[in-house]
Amino acid sequence: MRSLLFAIALLTTAPSLASAQEGTRALFIPSGSVPSHLRRTLENLIATRATLVSYDTYSRAAAERDLYPSNNQAIREIATQQGADVIVVASYGGHYRRRMLTLRYYNGSTGELARRRSHGLRGQALRPASQHSVLRDLAEVAGGASDGGGEAPPDEDPEGGDGAEGGDGGDGGLPPPVSWEEPGAEGEGGEGSEPAASEGESEAENRQWGFAIQLGLGIMQRQSAVPMMAGPARLSTTPFPAIQAQVQGYFRPDLTSRLRISLISRYTTSVGLQAQDYLVDGTTRTTDMRAHHLTIGLRTDIPLAPGDHPTELVLEAGWAFRMLDSEIMVSIPDYTLHGIYARVGLFFSVGDTPLSIGIIPEIGHMMNLSEELSQSSMVGDGFHVGAEAHVRLQIIPEVAVLLMYRESHAFLGTGLGEDMNDVERYGILKAEYHF
């Protein structure tokens, strides 16, 4: 019945809609955080009341000036030259059920911010009441209305639902607009549906910083060979359980940027490691040991293209520590290696999907911190080389699952004519959470 009423209303109001579309020109600018299907829904919705100005033409002009399309400077200097009456900029964010779509409406000729409104979403579906609000704001700003860019009151439904049943939905008696991308949108608000997201400003959408943590469990292997005065000491382990924790604090240059600068720390340690100690007389014995790896560094994530899933360049540099400790005195002494490292990696999306693959080569300079190792082997400094392979699945904006494999080889010079070698290998399955 609702669909029939909507069709009748469209037929009866088609001349007025066509007139409105001819009279208003709108440039729609989605930020990179807006999902593809929500972007198409907004484009189709705006197109019912205005003629859309080419976004591709505008984005190319912004790229030539090395500006992000939703950047304020690009809007003032480039978007105002596209012949639009209204410029609509969309951004998306939030956590779990608190998804927020924020729309900013600018004057098409001056670039002045006229209105800003946030809409609560169910998942990634734009509610009918919010669709009415978008059309109303578009019409009012096109007519010259402005509240100075302040936050407009969020769209509300006095009945406590989504405005889908009865009433005029706040838009001149028309039934609520439909969502072109969400087949179940008309049934929202019915029995068994999720509660509506709370309205208001999204805190995550309007801050330039955040945190991410990773926790994982996997398998690790460690090998080491140290020249000693009494003969070479060697350590070789079978694969053993390992855990890894990572903490990252990141900062964005501005609210529309997808570039992130981070302070990041990773710690990997063995669990229940038992290693074979090769004695000088050729015999072996098993002993409890612990292998650690700690890194602290600065990281920059640089998107190489616009879109929901761009290729990203990852640059990281910092300080790394490799440690090996034993429960009892063994032929190979406990040691700590440390030094600077640098990583340059690329993450590629698999098509237009949240699945990505990353390759991160690494190189660094290492020194010895252990007094016993310096005395018995005269170990100096050296270098290490390695690489990591990552497979990442972004489940929702805040949660991802990662599978990674790492292998790294360290070579340090000694006073005995041979190099000290240290090799670590591990594979870890991790979960990541952004907050």
Side-chain angles (χ1 to χ4, degrees), residues 92-95 98-100 102 116 118 198-211 250 252 255 435:
Y92 171 87
H95 298 287
R98 183 179 170 81
R99 306 287 184 198
M100 302 297 295
T102 301
R116 176 190 178 102
S118 296
S198 55
E199 304 291 353
E201 189 70 23
S202 169
E203 179 182 356
E205 182 67 22
N206 289 277
R207 67 185 186 193
Q208 296 176 245
W209 54 270
F211 297 93
Y250 58 87
R252 297 184 295 164
L255 295 177
F435 60 95

Side-chain angles (χ1 to χ4, degrees), residues 333-381:
D334 296 350
Y335 61 82
T336 298
L337 308 178
H338 73 112
I340 193 170
Y341 73 92
R343 296 152 54 102
V344 179
L346 283 174
F347 280 80
F348 306 90
S349 291
V350 180
D352 190 19
T353 71
L355 181 67
S356 61
I357 298 174
I359 302 294
I360 307 178
E362 179 180 312
I363 190 169
H365 176 263
M366 302 214 84
M367 297 171 284
N368 170 39
L369 265 180
S370 307
E371 182 178 355
E372 182 181 355
L373 194 60
S374 298
Q375 293 175 350
S376 58
S377 299
M378 293 178 285
V379 173
D381 59 358

Side-chain angles (χ1 to χ4, degrees), residues 55-56 62 81 92 102 125 141 151 195 217 289 300 378 412:
Y55 170 75
D56 291 337
Q81 307 301 316
Y92 171 87
T102 301
V141 173
E151 178 70 25
L217 178 66
M289 305 189 77
T300 302
M378 293 178 285
L412 288 85

Side-chain angles (χ1 to χ4, degrees), residues 14-26 47-52 85:
S16 61
L17 288 178
S19 175
Q21 189 173 15
E22 291 176 1
T24 302
R25 292 171 57 84
T48 63
R49 300 297 173 87
T51 300
L52 286 174
D85 300 303

